[in-house]
Amino acid sequence: MAVGKEIRGKIKSVENTKKITKAMEMVAASKMRKAQERMRAARPYADKIRNITAHLSEANPEYKSPYLRDSAKSGSAAQAVGFIVVTTDKGLCGGLNTNILRAVSTKMREVQAGGGKVHTVAIGNKGLGFLNRIGATVLSHVVQMGDAPQLDKLIGPVKVMLDAFVEGKLDAVYLCYTKFINTMKQEPMVEQLLPLTSARLQQTEAERQAYGWDYLYEPDAPTVIDDLLTRYIEALVYQAVSENMASEQSARMVAMKAATDNAGNLISELKLIYNKTRQAAITKELSEIVGGAAAV
């Protein structure tokens, strides 16, 4: 019964793995709910600051912020493009990181094919490792953010990219992350962050009526508008990281559930094989006993 003992060992091993994946599934489900609440809680702030910033930019047409400059070179035609790549710190979350990194690679190849240079900022350990492997220029990075994104950790790396854009070293900046659609669907996004497009700062008719007043500026309009736009860009990055974390926990929960189900199926198959092997051994022993008795 050496074969039977080996199969029993495999069954025990898979059962232990199943316990681990089930526990990870339950932990991911709990973290997913918290991540979704955090993601939704960040949206009102981003909407509010967008409304105020849009109104201020329209109220002062004589001043053009460097974040709103019209860049003749964008996308694959740009000479220098920055990428803020948001990924996870840990694995075991299905194809989440693979999908966003594939989209980033495609966009980078487009830029490089047009003769442009690529500069990156990595948010997340998986993205940092990928960018180092492909030899990309990493200006800054932040890893080990935990389960809740902290704005003070994100400001430094993002400011490096913002300063490079304001100084004219970059023609465009793209924000790359995984958008949370629902528990079963997460979509990789590569969106233009800078220069800020009119679509991002466009107000609805209701918003225009709600912000129908003028402002007094202290110390002056350019300083206030630039600071507000900086806070708005930081809010966009924070929202992207929050969306990515919600997507991470959802993808991990689904992946661990699939692993648990697969372990259950494998255990059933191994038990069936074990029972067949055991039955064959018993039948063989009975045949030998019957054959020996007949010979006597």
Side-chain angles (χ1 to χ4, degrees):
M1 290 292 290
V3 176
K5 185 177 180 180
E6 182 181 348
I7 295 175
R8 285 201 305 271
K10 289 183 179 180
I11 292 174
K12 186 66 176 177
S13 176
V14 176
E15 285 177 345
N16 292 335
T17 302
K18 182 180 179 181
K19 291 178 182 178
I20 295 173
T21 56
K22 183 63 177 178
M24 293 181 68
E25 176 192 347
M26 297 176 69
V27 171
S30 176
K31 289 183 177 180
M32 180 189 68
R33 287 189 289 269
K34 294 179 181 178
Q36 289 178 2
E37 292 172 0
R38 194 180 303 114
M39 175 190 67
R40 296 188 181 99
R43 286 175 178 169
Y45 172 79
D47 290 339
K48 193 73 171 179
I49 197 170
R50 179 187 63 81
N51 292 339
I52 296 175
T53 305
H55 179 73
L56 284 176
S57 60
E58 291 181 359
N60 290 271
E62 67 278 0
Y63 174 69
K64 194 72 170 180
S65 172
Y67 297 127
L68 300 171
R69 71 169 185 239
D70 294 328
S71 179
K73 298 176 181 179
S74 61
S76 59
Q79 294 299 316
V81 177
F83 290 86
I84 300 176
V85 183
V86 183
T87 57
T88 68
D89 285 320
K90 301 176 183 178
L92 298 177
C93 49
L96 185 78
N97 291 316
T98 302
N99 293 335
I100 184 60
L101 292 176
R102 185 183 294 116
V104 171
S105 299
T106 301
K107 190 66 179 178
M108 284 182 177
R109 283 194 293 268
E110 291 179 3
V111 173
Q112 292 170 345
K117 295 182 179 180
V118 171
H119 302 275
T120 63
V121 166
I123 300 178
N125 194 38
K126 295 297 183 181
L128 177 61
F130 171 78
L131 295 173
N132 287 331
R133 284 195 300 274
I134 65 174
T137 303
V138 181
L139 301 180
S140 182
H141 69 274
V142 55
V143 297
Q144 304 300 331
M145 292 179 292
D147 296 327
Q150 298 178 6
L151 189 58
D152 56 345
K153 289 185 177 181
L154 298 174
I155 288 177
V158 172
K159 191 174 187 304
V160 172
M161 196 68 79
L162 298 184
D163 291 344
F165 180 81
V166 172
E167 294 169 5
K169 297 178 180 178
L170 297 176
D171 297 312
V173 176
Y174 286 86
L175 182 59
C176 314
Y177 65 100
T178 303
K179 184 177 182 180
F180 178 83
I181 307 298
N182 53 50
T183 304
M184 301 301 296
K185 183 179 180 182
Q186 300 85 36
E187 184 178 352
M189 304 293 293
V190 180
E191 299 177 342
Q192 180 177 318
L193 182 64
L194 293 173
L196 289 169
T197 60
S198 57
R200 281 191 179 275
L201 296 177
Q202 191 172 7
Q203 288 181 302
T204 63
E205 189 61 34
E207 290 171 347
R208 289 192 182 93
Q209 294 176 359
Y211 292 89
W213 55 80
D214 202 353
Y215 296 90
L216 297 176
Y217 303 95
E218 179 64 36
D220 51 45
T223 303
V224 173
I225 292 175
D226 286 346
D227 285 349
L228 266 177
L229 285 172
T230 302
R231 300 289 87 77
Y232 174 56
I233 294 168
E234 291 172 355
L236 289 176
V237 176
Y238 179 86
Q239 184 69 27
V241 175
S242 299
E243 296 256 359
N244 196 81
M245 286 187 172
S247 300
E248 174 190 358
Q249 299 302 337
S250 299
R252 182 170 290 118
M253 184 191 70
V254 173
M256 291 301 101
K257 185 179 187 308
T260 303
D261 294 341
N262 290 337
N265 295 335
L266 182 57
I267 290 171
S268 299
E269 292 176 4
L270 288 173
K271 284 183 177 179
L272 181 60
I273 294 172
Y274 173 75
N275 291 333
K276 286 182 178 179
T277 304
R278 180 170 174 270
Q279 185 65 41
I282 293 173
T283 303
K284 182 180 178 182
E285 289 178 3
L286 288 175
S287 299
E288 290 175 352
I289 292 171
V290 171
V296 171

